[in-house]
Amino acid sequence: MCGIVGAIGKGNIVPVLVDGLKRLEYRGYDSSGIAVLDGGNIRRVRRVGRVVEMEHATQEEHVIGTLGIGHTRWATHGGVTEPNAHPHVSGELVAVVHNGIIENHETKRDELKALGYIFTSQTDTEVIAHLVHHHYQPDHDLFAAVQRAVKELEGAYAIAVIAKDNPDLLVVARMGCPLLVGVGEGENFVASDVSAVISSTRRVMYLEEGDVAKITREAVQVFDANGSSVQRDTHVSDVSLASLELGPYQHFMQKEIHEQPRALSDTIEQILEIGFCPELFDGDAEAVFKGVKSVQIIACGTSYYAGSVARYWIESMTGLPCSVEVASEYRYRDAVANPDNLIVTISQSGETLDTMEALKYAKSLGQERTLSICNVRESALPRNSAAVFFTKAGAEIGVASTKAFTTQLVALFTLSVTLGKLNGRVNDEAEANYLDALRHLPGSVQHALNLEPQIKVWAERFAEKNHALFLGRGVHYPIALEGALKLKEITYIHAEAYPAGELKHGPLALVDENMPVVVIAPHDTLLEKVKSNMQEVSARGGELFVFADLDSHFSESEGVHVIRTPRYVGILSPIVHTIPVQLLAYHTALARGTDVDKPRNLAKSVTVE
């Protein structure tokens, strides 16, 4: 959830570090800092707040250097203070930046204190700095010191280390957290995300679990967890600089909401070309899917809600039982293993720690039929799965996921139909209808985006509220959950979601004139049931905000406000109805003046437990 960048070159690399941190700020923005070798000394600049604060300090202090590391922090151990900001330095000799959590930091802290080390922060990262320093002192071999230090660490980490008397060497290591090397000409880079180095190089090398690497200006040498020299493939990244820029938009969330028709079209393109089949999935999907008796979806946050929608599709189209579980819960319970169970993990980044650990746990139980749905190639989750569906959402910078969610839904819909075909539940006519539905989806989403002016009017009213209730039924209930989550994430309004039929079993007690009730009400078989639930709200003086379809025959009245999507799109209706709740959250946040792209206490790519 924090961001790392490092560079070694012939010229001043401070602008590279600062630019990289700006591009990584979505991963953490409590504080930031850099450490560079300047005239044989480590010069460190740290500031609480946004990267721009630290940038100004580097300019005022005229910091320059040809070797350096940088970090933008999302606080875990210790509060948001400058002493807790990275990089951490030990003995004015070694500087370290770190993503992840060191689980045995307290034990190591006590051991290091006994050796005379003085701690100036509350972080687990300072343990790494002192531990590397301890192993560095005997022979000043930085690479060997890092190798020895990481063997004593328990938990997840990506680290980058420099030493004052090794001006031509950058050492990095990873376990459980992403780290890549950007390969240049006479210069090399490291980062936790390709976005940090894309302006300097497109050639990237992804490090694997347990790797420790020596990086100089001219070479990259990688050693695995056993200390053996290994070759890691270099890839040319397809991430574009344009995708990382705001362009004409005010916020990345706004940009990414409006990019959804294109993201969906790109994700759908191959499906329309070849139909629903295992060939759509990278890896050995045909063998993975053959003989599947049940499906278990494991994910976190927004991805969990995507899985919750998919449960309705999978059970309806395939006849297979499907369960959906929060990754952080699944990995710590005594799960009942079934080798014929298809384990589906979902993550935008492919590096979500809880999801990755849940996958490892499922496989340890003998469940080898694994499929990941992911937006980032070469990330950990796809590499550890037998089959993969890569969504084509493009870079997603806003913390509140938007286009990643809707493209995940397309991937899960594709999985549902494919499994249905394989077990004989989806015939040619049904497949043709599903393909037609996908073909029209981007246009329907664009129509939903055209509702923005009406939704902005609602947002002004929501901005004055402190609580909200979201209701949905059937396959649209998870969209109510997603709408409540979006409102919570970026407006800080307390919002909850319930199945509309559950309203009378408790939540109705909350309804009054100060509790707006948002209803997802498409023209499906449950519409009349939803209308009855709406009557329950109106009878208690509640104010209803209804997202309906053009043909659902709602009429506005006192206390009932209606916005209609152009038409009911059938089985893909949950995707279309996601757009209005995203826009409602976005414009309510604008009206309240909150930070849309960087909501408090949250960060993108959750690589800590």
Side-chain angles (χ1 to χ4, degrees), residues 78-373:
V80 182
T81 65
E82 190 168 310
N84 288 333
H86 299 216
H88 288 281
V89 174
S90 181
E92 299 300 321
L93 188 62
V94 171
V96 174
V97 290
H98 163 232
N99 289 353
I101 288 180
I102 304 304
E103 295 175 357
N104 62 335
H105 71 97
E106 292 179 346
T107 301
K108 288 298 170 186
R109 182 183 290 258
D110 291 341
E111 292 175 4
L112 289 162
K113 283 182 176 179
L115 292 171
Y117 286 93
I118 297 172
F119 285 76
T120 60
S121 79
Q122 302 164 299
T123 68
D124 55 340
T125 303
E126 194 176 1
V127 165
I128 304 173
H130 292 320
L131 194 58
V132 171
H133 180 274
H134 171 65
H135 290 297
Y136 183 67
Q137 284 183 307
D139 52 16
H140 284 221
D141 185 335
L142 183 61
F143 177 71
V146 173
Q147 279 187 312
R148 295 188 196 109
V150 297
K151 288 186 182 300
E152 298 185 37
L153 302 178
E154 297 173 8
Y157 58 80
I159 63 173
V161 189
I162 60 174
K164 137 181 196 178
D165 50 0
N166 272 260
D168 300 314
L169 181 63
L170 171 61
V171 179
V172 299
R174 70 150 292 188
M175 178 66 76
C177 292
L179 197 64
L180 60 87
V181 178
V183 181
E185 297 291 336
E187 58 184 359
N188 287 303
F189 312 88
V190 297
S192 46
D193 190 299
V194 70
S195 62
V197 300
I198 199 68
S199 60
S200 300
T201 181
R202 290 189 171 279
R203 297 172 61 217
V204 294
M205 176 190 301
Y206 294 90
L207 300 181
E208 298 189 5
E209 292 287 84
D211 282 355
V212 184
K214 300 169 68 172
I215 301 170
T216 65
R217 292 173 181 82
E218 302 296 339
V220 178
Q221 294 175 275
V222 182
F223 298 80
D224 65 18
N226 298 318
S228 300
S229 178
V230 292
Q231 294 291 329
R232 300 298 183 213
D233 293 337
T234 300
H235 306 264
V236 178
S237 175
D238 59 1
V239 174
S240 69
L241 275 175
S243 69
L244 305 174
E245 303 293 343
L246 269 175
Y249 297 98
Q250 189 175 354
H251 301 94
F252 278 106
M253 184 177 181
Q254 181 190 29
K255 176 177 184 268
E256 288 154 13
I257 288 173
H258 283 270
E259 285 176 339
Q260 285 176 109
R262 168 53 58 191
L264 291 166
S265 293
D266 290 345
T267 303
I268 290 165
E269 183 178 15
Q270 189 182 13
I271 306 167
L272 297 180
E273 288 177 2
I274 66 174
F276 297 97
C277 59
E279 287 74 22
L280 295 168
F281 301 81
D282 288 27
D284 194 9
E286 189 165 0
V288 170
F289 295 161
K290 187 177 180 180
V292 163
K293 297 296 192 297
S294 58
V295 180
Q296 184 159 34
I297 299 173
I298 304 170
C300 303
T302 287
S303 296
Y304 170 77
Y305 296 147
S308 299
V309 172
R311 183 182 65 172
Y312 291 91
W313 287 337
I314 289 170
E315 294 195 342
S316 174
M317 293 183 202
T318 72
L320 300 175
C322 177
S323 61
V324 188
E325 192 150 1
V326 174
S328 57
E329 290 296 315
Y330 174 80
R331 62 182 285 207
Y332 290 116
R333 71 175 180 83
D334 294 327
V336 178
N338 180 353
D340 293 328
N341 200 15
L342 175 62
I343 301 294
V344 181
T345 51
I346 313 170
S347 168
Q348 187 279 141
S349 68
E351 301 285 353
T352 307
L353 184 64
D354 282 322
T355 307
M356 188 65 226
E357 292 300 317
L359 173 60
K360 291 179 183 177
Y361 175 53
K363 291 169 69 175
S364 75
L365 299 176
Q367 300 178 116
E368 296 295 335
R369 298 175 184 269
T370 57
L371 166 70
S372 66
I373 293 172

Side-chain angles (χ1 to χ4, degrees), residues 457-505:
V457 175
W458 280 12
E460 293 294 332
R461 304 184 66 171
F462 269 74
E464 303 169 355
K465 306 296 183 180
N466 295 314
H467 308 276
L469 192 62
F470 284 69
L471 302 177
R473 292 197 79 139
V475 73
H476 293 88
Y477 165 50
I479 304 307
L481 287 165
E482 174 64 8
L485 177 63
K486 286 290 162 285
L487 199 69
K488 279 183 279 199
E489 283 180 312
I490 63 170
T491 72
Y492 317 143
I493 293 172
H494 172 242
E496 298 294 337
Y498 283 87
E502 189 70 6
L503 187 65
K504 56 188 174 292
H505 297 294

